[in-house]
Amino acid sequence: RATDTGLRRAGARLRTAFRRAAPRQAGTLRNSISSRFSKRDGKVYVGLGTRFYYKTLEFNTKRGAAMNPFMEAAWKANREGISQLIITETKKSLYQEAGKIYARTKARKR
């Protein structure tokens, strides 16, 4: 649970960074950037739900150069902070879980 908490919070922070870096022509693109956590894989997915639109924005395609590569720049600017956030939030969650277990065992002894 502790690692899940750290990953979810880091995913939310990265989602916010992507939304801030998105072009401001319309709010639809910014609002469509989402994050989701997969318990089965233990991974956080952050990005656009529709893959073809993401490819046109970020990568060179048959049609030409990338339209507006904002996600890569946002990731490069925030990756150090995100990795540090995962570590600190996981530590906090570990301490909280340890405190809960300690309280339960203390209550059972009474």
Side-chain angles (χ1 to χ4, degrees):
R1 265 196 277 183
T3 56
D4 296 350
T5 304
L7 286 173
R8 282 182 183 162
R9 290 193 177 161
R13 175 86 49 95
L14 188 59
R15 179 189 66 217
T16 304
F18 283 169
R19 283 182 178 173
R20 286 182 180 160
R24 301 203 183 273
Q25 297 160 352
T28 310
L29 175 63
R30 280 180 280 146
N31 292 335
S32 64
I33 296 172
S34 63
S35 64
R36 67 182 168 88
F37 177 74
S38 172
K39 282 187 179 181
R40 185 180 56 162
D41 298 341
K43 296 179 182 178
V44 174
Y45 298 96
V46 180
L48 293 169
T50 55
R51 186 177 163 90
F52 72 91
Y53 187 60
Y54 168 73
K55 281 180 143 181
T56 5
L57 286 173
E58 289 291 319
F59 301 116
N60 293 332
T61 59
K62 294 178 196 174
R63 295 180 181 166
M67 288 173 63
N68 190 350
F70 66 92
M71 283 191 186
E72 185 68 28
W75 167 248
K76 285 181 180 178
N78 292 304
R79 67 179 160 201
E80 294 297 323
I82 295 296
S83 59
Q84 191 61 36
L85 181 70
I86 292 172
I87 293 168
T88 56
E89 291 297 326
T90 303
K91 280 183 182 180
K92 282 184 199 176
S93 297
L94 280 173
Y95 289 136
Q96 285 179 342
E97 293 295 322
K100 289 177 188 176
I101 292 170
Y102 177 75
R104 270 190 243 132
T105 55
K106 193 87 164 164
R108 286 183 190 158
K109 288 182 181 180
R110 291 182 190 173

